[in-house]
Amino acid sequence: MSDSTQPAPPPAAEPGAATPRRTRVALVFGGRSGEHAISCATAAGVLRALDRERYDVLPIGITPSGQWVLAPDDPDALSITGGDLPEVGAAEGDVVLPMADVRRELTVTEAGRLPRSLGEVDVVFPVLHGPFGEDGTLQGLLEMAQLPYVGSGVLASAAGMDKHYMKVVLAGHGLPVGPYTVITPPQWRTDADAAMDAVDSLGYPVFVKPARAGSSLGITKVDHRADLADAIVEAQRHDPKVVVEAALEGREIECAVLEGRGDDAPRTALPGEIVVEGHDFYDFEAKYLDAGQVRLSCPADLPQHVIDEVRVVAARAFEALGCEGLARVDFFVTGSGRVTVNEVNTMPGFTPYSMYPLMWERSGLPYPELVDELIQLALARPVGLR
């Protein structure tokens, strides 16, 4: 790995000068989506990794109902333990972002009390997954507040979250995507038979997915039309808009992408492979509750020319969506070496054991340094139009 990937050293103090102020990071996690617990687990990993000599950390949790609260700096309380999933609890005070560009001060408001300042922050590290966090909504709020933040902006986040428009953008840039169809709420209400006929044209089996959800929530593998309607209804529990994809034969390969510095091209890690045993596909249980049945292999055992192709296409997908900071690009790779993009995750799972940081670890960038690099990229990037 080139030296340009390594994070910048902390600022040095002049002899006799006061120690430089630590960079203040607001770590935002939890959220209203079905991936609330996964976001908490990601936050636990980031809290453990942040160098406290360089960073002053302000943990802010968002409850499942949407309340912003000041959270304890306790990684253990946010970790997934056995089958127990962590959750941000409600509190009396609400954390409020600034709505002006003159300061970056956060406050806590409580009934019957004067607002209490939490001080200014230099950068926000949002580790929310799924709707109401990874989909451009939070990014728009941070743009309005003039707060620098880690990760992609509004458009890339929204397009990356919506599997339908993600495929439209990627295909428009000449990148390979698999056959699919979209079922919107009006289509399902007015002509469900026509919607299912469109699915039939893909051939079975198919994967029925919520268009705007992640972590394999609400996804069903369907082998026969008789089971299709129930699968669509299940997906609609998570998102009224549904994407149905033709099943692609091939290995599930992933590639981590990291924004380049300045005008440099995106950086890509060595690709990894997910091998799932005891599950039809890489569903929520396999990812987080039955890890013994999942093997993460990195680097993936692929011919060098296929590895090179995966990395090139991953970087092109990152640029096509206008991503910033980080993204994980998921592929299917056939036995003949044909590469097809499955999806792009603009805020992938980020626990120390998740595939994204694992790929960078195997590529020479350890988890703590990866976290630091993402913060430095965010601090160097302006908010607003860019």
Side-chain angles (χ1 to χ4, degrees):
M1 174 166 295
S2 67
D3 291 341
S4 64
T5 304
Q6 302 305 313
E14 296 292 333
T19 302
R21 183 180 71 84
R22 291 180 296 168
T23 299
R24 198 142 193 258
V25 180
L27 181 66
V28 182
F29 57 91
R32 295 167 53 191
S33 82
E35 298 176 73
H36 178 100
I38 310 310
S39 173
C40 292
T42 292
V46 174
L47 284 173
R48 290 190 178 101
L50 283 168
D51 181 353
R52 300 310 176 97
E53 292 186 1
R54 295 190 65 188
Y55 298 111
D56 178 21
V57 185
L58 182 65
I60 298 174
I62 302 178
T63 69
S65 65
Q67 182 190 16
W68 290 49
V69 301
L70 187 60
D73 188 350
D74 184 2
D76 291 340
L78 298 171
S79 301
I80 296 176
T81 306
D84 296 330
L85 298 177
E87 181 176 302
V88 177
E92 292 184 5
D94 297 315
V95 173
V96 180
L97 299 183
M99 283 295 116
D101 60 3
V102 295
R103 66 185 187 281
R104 296 172 176 173
E105 183 180 22
L106 277 62
T107 57
V108 173
T109 61
E110 299 175 82
R113 298 185 180 182
L114 292 173
R116 174 166 56 93
S117 173
L118 296 175
E120 294 193 357
V121 298
D122 298 298
V123 63
V124 177
F125 199 142
V127 293
L128 293 98
H129 305 301
F132 310 109
E134 190 183 347
D135 60 351
T137 51
L138 177 63
Q139 290 73 19
L141 179 64
L142 296 174
E143 292 284 356
M144 294 287 287
Q146 291 282 301
L147 287 170
Y149 57 91
V150 170
S152 289
V154 175
L155 178 60
S157 297
M161 188 82 256
D162 190 316
K163 296 176 177 65
H164 171 204
Y165 286 106
M166 175 198 69
K167 294 175 188 294
V168 170
V169 172
L170 295 180
H173 281 77
L175 295 169
V177 298
Y180 72 98
T181 189
V182 178
I183 302 174
T184 65
Q187 289 170 331
W188 185 245
R189 289 193 299 265
T190 59
D191 199 343
D193 286 339
M196 291 195 291
D197 288 344
V199 175
D200 290 343
S201 68
L202 298 174
Y204 291 91
V206 296
F207 285 93
V208 180
K209 303 179 177 182
R212 296 160 291 194
S215 288
S216 303
L217 291 169
I219 297 180
T220 306
K221 182 181 180 182
V222 177
D223 294 303
H224 309 284
R225 180 180 171 120
D227 301 320
L228 181 58
D230 287 344
I232 292 170
V233 171
E234 170 61 21
Q236 288 175 330
R237 291 180 55 243
H238 300 271
D239 186 353
K241 181 180 176 182
V242 175
V243 169
V244 184
E245 299 171 346
L248 298 178
E249 295 295 330
R251 296 160 62 183
E252 294 188 53
I253 304 296
E254 302 185 344
C255 188
V257 186
L258 185 64
E259 179 184 356
R261 294 186 182 179
D263 294 326
D264 291 348
R267 295 165 278 181
T268 58
L270 292 169
E273 180 175 13
I274 298 169
V275 179
V276 181
E277 300 172 355
H279 297 262
D280 282 344
F281 59 96
Y282 195 35
D283 59 8
F284 184 90
E285 183 177 351
K287 283 184 179 180
Y288 302 109
L289 303 180
D290 196 10
Q293 299 299 314
V294 176
R295 179 163 50 88
L296 306 179
S297 176
C298 185
D301 184 14
L302 293 168
Q304 187 60 49
H305 74 277
V306 177
I307 289 176
D308 294 342
E309 176 70 8
V310 166
R311 296 179 76 170
V312 167
V313 174
R316 288 181 60 198
F318 187 92
E319 293 180 313
L321 286 173
C323 294
E324 296 168 298
L326 72 164
R328 192 192 72 227
V329 185
D330 301 346
F331 298 89
F332 287 105
V333 177
T334 67
S336 65
R338 183 166 57 87
V339 173
T340 301
V341 180
N342 182 30
E343 60 182 72
V344 179
N345 292 271
T346 57
M347 183 52 71
F350 206 82
T351 72
Y353 312 104
S354 297
M355 199 58 165
Y356 182 88
L358 175 63
M359 286 184 279
W360 279 116
E361 178 85 31
R362 300 290 172 83
S363 301
L365 187 62
Y367 187 88
E369 295 177 23
L370 175 60
V371 169
D372 180 75
E373 177 72 356
L374 288 169
I375 292 173
Q376 296 305 315
L377 288 169
L379 287 168
R381 187 173 61 238
V383 292
L385 298 178
R386 51 189 182 270

